[in-house]
Amino acid sequence: MNPKELTDLSRLCIHTITLKPWNIEEAAKKFSAAGVKGITVWRDTLEGRNIKQTGKMLRDYDLTIVSLCRGGFFPAKDPGKRKLAIDDNKKAINEAAELETSMIVLVCGADPSQPLEDSRKQIRDGIAAILPEATAAGVRLAIEPLHPMYADTRSAINTLAQANDVAEALNSPMVGVAIDVYHLWWDPMLDKEIKRCGANGNLMAFHICDWKVPTSDLLLDRALMGEGCIDVKQVRSWVEAAGFTGFNEVEIFSTAHWKENQADFLKKIIVAYREHS
Ligand code: ZN
C-alpha cells in the first residue's frame, strides 16, 4: 500500500445507519461534500421514497451505492414465517435493482426455539430459494457472519468459516461473504479464513468500526476505528492480501455517537479512517 492510498478517500464508504439522525438526502449531500465516495443504504432510509429517484440522487452526488442493507432473517420454526422471510428478501432484491446497487448484505437470522443447526439449514435453503431472483436482477448476496453473542436471534452464522461453507455449498458467483471486523476480530482462524474466502472469489464486502472496552451495550455501543481494541489495519491488510479491492465501509451503531453533532462525527470518521484503518 502506498502512502497516498493510506490517506485518500476513494475507497471510503459510510453506511446510512452510522449517521442515523440524517435522512438519506442529507447524508448524501454531506458525504459528497466531505469527499466520501461510497454509501451503503439501509432499507429504512428508503421508506416513503421513490427508490429509483433516490438511486439517481445518490449517483448525482457522485456516490457509489455499495450495497443495500439488509436482507436475511431466514430461519423460523414456523414454515409460514419462513415463507414471509423469502418474500421480504425478494422485495429487497427488487429494491436493490431499483436503487441500481449490485449487492445486498444478509444478516442471516436465527430462531432460539430450535437448534442452531436447523437455523443454519434454513439459511442455506432460504438463500437458495432467492438465488434465481438475485441472479436475474444481477444482485449479489453477501452473507455477513455475526459475533456469536447474536446467535440467539440475529444469526446462526457466527464465524467466517461457517459463512465460507455456505457460500461454497451454494457455489454461485452471486453468493459471497461480507467481512465485518466487529463480528470477526476475535477469531483465531480469521487470517486463514480470509485467505480461503478470497481464493474462492467470495470476498464481497468489508465493514469496519471498533470494539469498545468496556462495551456497555451489545448492539448500540460500537466504536469509531481507534477507539477500541480491534487492529483494523491488520484485518484490512489480510483482506487486501486476499485480493479485495472494494470499499472500506464504516458501519457504526452507537447511541453515544448518534447524540453528537453529526457533522462533527463525520469529520471524526474521516480522521479515524485515515489514521486507524
Ligand atoms: Zn457489518
Side-chain angles (χ1 to χ4, degrees), residues 236-257:
R236 180 174 170 183
S237 75
W238 291 338
V239 163
E240 292 182 351
F244 183 73
T245 56
F247 279 88
N248 302 297
E249 305 182 38
V250 178
E251 181 193 27
I252 302 171
F253 314 150
S254 163
T255 309
H257 284 304

Side-chain angles (χ1 to χ4, degrees), residues 202-240:
N202 286 331
L203 212 173
M204 289 184 172
F206 182 49
H207 298 175
I208 57 176
C209 67
D210 209 339
W211 183 283
K212 217 163 143 189
V213 184
T215 289
S216 65
D217 185 293
L218 297 184
L219 186 63
L220 301 175
D221 195 31
R222 296 190 194 185
L224 192 58
M225 298 79 72
E227 288 179 340
C229 61
I230 302 178
D231 189 341
V232 179
K233 282 185 186 182
Q234 165 104 86
V235 183
R236 180 174 170 183
S237 75
W238 291 338
V239 163
E240 292 182 351

Side-chain angles (χ1 to χ4, degrees), residues 254-267:
S254 163
T255 309
H257 284 304
W258 290 331
K259 283 182 189 156
E260 281 183 50
N261 174 307
Q262 296 296 281
D264 291 343
F265 182 37
L266 177 58
K267 282 183 196 153

Side-chain angles (χ1 to χ4, degrees), residues 134-150:
T135 304
V139 174
R140 295 171 298 155
L141 305 170
I143 300 162
E144 179 167 356
L146 259 53
H147 192 284
M149 68 183 171
Y150 299 122

Side-chain angles (χ1 to χ4, degrees), residues 15-35:
H15 284 226
T16 54
I17 199 150
T18 300
L19 295 131
K20 193 178 167 194
W22 282 346
N23 64 28
I24 195 164
E25 291 80 12
E26 189 166 15
K29 192 175 163 188
K30 300 279 174 56
F31 288 6
S32 179

Side-chain angles (χ1 to χ4, degrees), residues 22-186:
W22 282 346
N23 64 28
I24 195 164
E25 291 80 12
E26 189 166 15
K29 192 175 163 188
K30 300 279 174 56
F31 288 6
S32 179
V36 176
K37 294 297 180 192
I39 187 166
T40 276
V41 174
W42 279 60
R43 289 176 77 191
D44 61 291
T45 64
L46 297 173
E47 259 168 46
R49 286 170 174 76
N50 178 309
I51 297 177
K52 281 187 182 172
Q53 281 174 11
T54 305
K56 182 177 181 308
M57 180 273 293
L58 296 173
R59 283 185 294 280
D60 286 347
Y61 275 115
D62 197 25
L63 291 165
T64 297
I65 308 170
V66 177
S67 65
L68 180 68
C69 243
R70 58 198 184 187
F73 291 97
F74 297 105
K77 207 168 182 179
D78 170 7
K81 285 189 184 159
R82 293 205 294 277
K83 164 91 173 57
L84 285 178
I86 301 279
D87 292 345
D88 184 59
N89 278 276
K90 288 180 180 172
K91 187 166 169 262
I93 290 167
N94 285 335
E95 289 171 11
E98 286 190 315
L99 201 58
E100 293 183 36
T101 179
S102 64
M103 181 163 58
I104 292 178
V105 176
L106 299 179
V107 171
C108 290
D111 183 341
S113 69
Q114 65 184 9
L116 281 168
E117 202 39 63
D118 291 1
S119 288
R120 291 185 190 122
K121 181 182 183 311
Q122 291 165 5
I123 289 166
R124 291 190 293 272
D125 291 349
I127 298 172
I130 62 167
L131 194 46
E133 278 80 3
T135 304
V139 174
R140 295 171 298 155
L141 305 170
I143 300 162
E144 179 167 356
L146 259 53
H147 192 284
M149 68 183 171
Y150 299 122
D152 54 352
T153 56
R154 286 176 189 270
S155 186
I157 305 289
N158 307 108
T159 63
L160 184 50
Q162 289 171 329
N164 281 335
D165 286 346
V166 176
E168 287 167 24
L170 289 163
N171 192 25
S172 160
M174 305 310 286
V175 178
V177 173
I179 291 174
D180 187 323
V181 297
Y182 187 77
H183 298 299
L184 300 176
W185 68 279
W186 56 273

